[in-house]
Amino acid sequence: MSEFDLIRNHFSRIGSQRADVALGVGDDCALLRVPQGYELAASIDTLVAGVHFLPDCDPEGLGHKSLAVGLSDLAAVGAEPAWATLALTLPDADAAWLDAFSLGFDRLARSYGIALVGGDMTRGPLTITVQIQGLVPAATAILRRGARPGDLVCVSGTLGDAGLALRLLDAGEAVPEFLRGRLERPTPRVELGLALRGTATAMIDLSDGLAADLGHILAASGVGAEIRLPDLPLSRAVRDRLAADPDWGLPLAAGDDYELCFCVPEQKRARITALAERLGIRIQAVGRVQPEIGLRCLLGDGSIWDPGQSGYDHFPDAD
């Protein structure tokens, strides 16, 4: 079966039909209509077998996750998802694998009204690249650079679940279904990101771990922060793990959470509480922005915990 047969059979009908797609899959370029008064938000992520996912992982879950990581980027700026392109590098043309992968991708795309409008397919080591585009009213995107001293630092969901699942897999131990779902099928917080426009002063999605990603907000905003480790939102599984082995690097630096970390003024705390109840999402204030540069992580007794390496880095030894 040729490359073009594979695209036609597995990817030509993925995602939603959108009126703003003038031309989608099947030509040299997609043609897309950006509404007047909106800005285009665009993000791209590459997932590599053996680096971002286990080579033998569930392909349907991988289809879901490959789109979810981009959706999380759109959520982090408060953009509404619209279009995606997909580039697949495959070691071979496995029809059953492609059926499962495209099913996972398609289900998530349709749930957010996304149209797949183009892509590419090549032979080589298993690699998945997804570019995703969304729309945000002009001058309303939530950036990393707006945090101010006194702002609350808030986190959605729970931290460390995906990291714990990966540790269990690496150790050959059984992985509870909840933890496996958090690793393989993360939930992008798109609705929360949209709802935080006009409320959050800065925001980022948690892909590399809270310490690293919050650090990006602090660097962009020229501020520091103090977070309280006992206030981190944790699932029972992660809490039990920390009780046995108090390694705070699990919720702080393991990564793959795909939750949102955002800053809000203290006077908007009640609005955040109401928002959490309306969306049915856990939102926890874990600290506060400080004028002094740097990130301090406090234990329950007030002592400082040193996170060491703050998160995942593809090139830790680069100059």
Side-chain angles (χ1 to χ4, degrees):
M1 187 177 293
S2 73
E3 167 193 345
F4 305 102
D5 290 332
L6 291 171
I7 292 171
R8 182 172 56 254
N9 291 344
H10 297 283
F11 298 103
S12 62
R13 293 178 295 278
I14 279 187
S16 299
Q17 300 296 312
R18 295 179 60 99
D20 51 18
V21 178
L23 184 64
V25 174
D27 217 302
D28 291 311
C29 291
L31 300 179
L32 310 171
R33 303 184 183 100
V34 178
Q36 185 174 0
Y38 282 76
E39 294 173 335
L40 180 68
S43 178
I44 189 167
D45 287 282
T46 295
L47 305 181
V48 179
V51 178
H52 301 95
F53 59 90
L54 299 175
D56 60 349
C57 74
D58 168 37
E60 185 178 336
L62 184 58
H64 172 107
K65 186 171 183 175
S66 64
L67 180 58
V69 297
L71 282 168
S72 187
D73 286 333
L74 292 185
V77 299
E80 182 177 351
W83 315 295
T85 56
L86 168 66
L88 272 178
T89 301
L90 302 169
D92 52 66
D94 183 334
W97 190 96
L98 285 166
D99 280 341
F101 177 88
S102 60
L103 178 61
F105 193 103
D106 183 51
R107 283 177 173 168
L108 190 61
R110 290 180 186 273
S111 70
Y112 286 100
I114 296 170
L116 182 67
V117 296
D120 192 23
M121 187 174 290
T122 57
R123 182 185 291 273
L126 181 56
T127 306
I128 304 158
T129 298
V130 176
Q131 184 181 54
I132 191 163
Q133 300 91 26
L135 300 168
V136 60
T140 67
I142 306 169
L143 308 180
R144 299 179 182 182
R145 61 175 183 248
R148 299 185 293 266
D151 284 354
L152 300 173
V153 177
C154 299
V155 174
S156 68
T158 55
L159 304 179
D161 299 319
L164 179 54
L166 190 57
R167 290 188 185 186
L168 293 174
L169 286 170
D170 287 343
E173 300 179 32
V175 181
E177 183 177 348
F178 166 75
L179 293 180
R180 185 178 288 274
R182 292 281 285 160
L183 174 64
E184 296 183 351
R185 299 171 185 267
T187 300
R189 302 299 187 182
V190 174
E191 295 85 355
L192 177 59
L194 293 172
L196 285 169
R197 288 199 310 234
T199 298
T201 57
M203 188 155 62
I204 193 170
D205 80 313
L206 299 178
S207 56
D208 295 324
L210 176 62
D213 292 320
L214 175 56
H216 295 319
I217 286 181
L218 304 182
S221 299
V223 294
E226 185 175 274
I227 62 173
R228 302 175 300 275
L229 299 184
D231 290 344
L232 296 184
L234 307 175
S235 66
R236 180 180 297 274
V238 172
R239 195 173 296 280
D240 290 346
R241 180 77 169 210
L242 288 176
D245 176 16
D247 175 13
W248 287 98
L250 178 59
L252 280 177
D256 257 8
D257 294 312
Y258 297 106
E259 296 292 345
L260 293 180
C261 173
F262 57 94
C263 303
V264 292
E266 169 68 41
Q267 61 267 31
K268 295 186 178 181
R269 183 191 288 265
R271 185 180 302 181
I272 297 303
T273 300
L275 180 59
E277 293 177 356
R278 177 168 65 85
L279 295 178
I281 297 174
R282 181 176 181 178
I283 298 177
Q284 178 73 34
V286 300
R288 196 176 294 273
V289 177
Q290 306 287 342
E292 298 83 10
I293 301 298
L295 175 63
R296 296 206 314 164
C297 304
L298 301 183
L299 293 164
D301 62 4
S303 61
I304 298 175
W305 187 82
D306 182 2
Q309 182 174 334
S310 59
Y312 186 80
D313 185 350
H314 286 278
F315 303 101
D317 300 321
D319 292 331

